Amino acid sequence: MSLSSINKPLRDAVWKRDDGRCRYCGLLQVGQAAVFHIDHIHPRSLDGPTSLENLALQCPHCSLRKSNTVEAPDPVNGIAVRMFHPLRDRWEDHFVLRRNGIIEGRTPIGRSTAAALQFNERWAVSARSLQIALGWIDIGDDEGETV
Ligand SMILES: [Zn+2]
């Protein structure tokens, strides 16, 4: 969806609420050349509304892979489960971010979303690990051992 179809006050509200961070992978807009997108969490093509409760800031990497996806297979067993919902689900419940920039899924929803959005593709990990090293991304209390 083009930005122009989401009015400026609504775009501004999403940017403010999401604080310049991709609500899926956690990447920050700062330091990125490509402007983050505003995602319809439940796709507009499936009657998702254009409302603050259905919009989330999303980096281009995640946006291009998510598109209108609403479910994806858990890589562990191939069973399709719903995608992570960035406003209803707690990120920490479904994912863990390692100091090296790798994101691991903790749940079927986390694993399926991480795989579908290719969180651990080389360039995405590179960008995240730089932001972690700069202290821009907090890895929280659950950080595990890195390789
Ligand atoms: Zn992202």
Side-chain angles (χ1 to χ4, degrees):
M1 160 174 263
S2 69
L3 288 179
S4 61
S5 61
I6 302 172
N7 67 45
K8 185 173 184 331
L10 192 51
R11 287 198 317 265
D12 290 349
V14 172
W15 273 91
K16 182 176 181 184
R17 182 198 61 206
D18 295 346
D19 199 25
R21 176 184 304 271
C22 174
R23 293 294 299 255
Y24 291 86
C25 76
L27 191 69
L28 297 170
Q29 171 68 78
V30 64
Q32 304 299 310
V35 176
F36 281 16
H37 303 175
I38 294 180
D39 171 52
H40 279 75
I41 299 164
H42 189 75
R44 199 170 65 142
S45 62
L46 300 175
D47 298 325
T50 301
S51 63
L52 188 59
E53 298 75 27
N54 192 46
L55 298 174
L57 200 60
Q58 193 175 42
C59 74
H61 177 91
C62 289
S63 178
L64 292 170
R65 286 155 184 83
K66 178 177 175 282
S67 185
N68 63 352
T69 305
V70 293
E71 64 177 35
D74 178 350
V76 168
N77 57 23
I79 297 173
V81 296
R82 71 171 174 85
M83 299 278 283
F84 172 73
H85 191 297
L87 302 183
R88 295 183 190 151
D89 297 325
R90 278 180 21 117
W91 199 90
E92 298 80 10
D93 290 343
H94 296 282
F95 307 101
V96 61
L97 173 61
R98 304 297 183 192
R99 186 173 300 280
N100 62 3
I102 296 287
I103 295 173
E104 296 174 6
R106 292 179 159 177
T107 63
I109 288 170
R111 291 189 299 266
S112 70
T113 302
L117 302 188
Q118 299 176 32
F119 280 173
N120 296 319
E121 184 272 334
R122 175 182 173 198
W123 296 113
V125 170
S126 174
R128 258 193 318 276
S129 64
L130 280 171
Q131 292 188 350
I132 291 167
L134 290 167
W136 296 351
I137 294 179
D138 180 10
I139 57 171
D141 299 331
D142 292 331
E143 198 269 328
E145 292 300 313
T146 57
V147 291

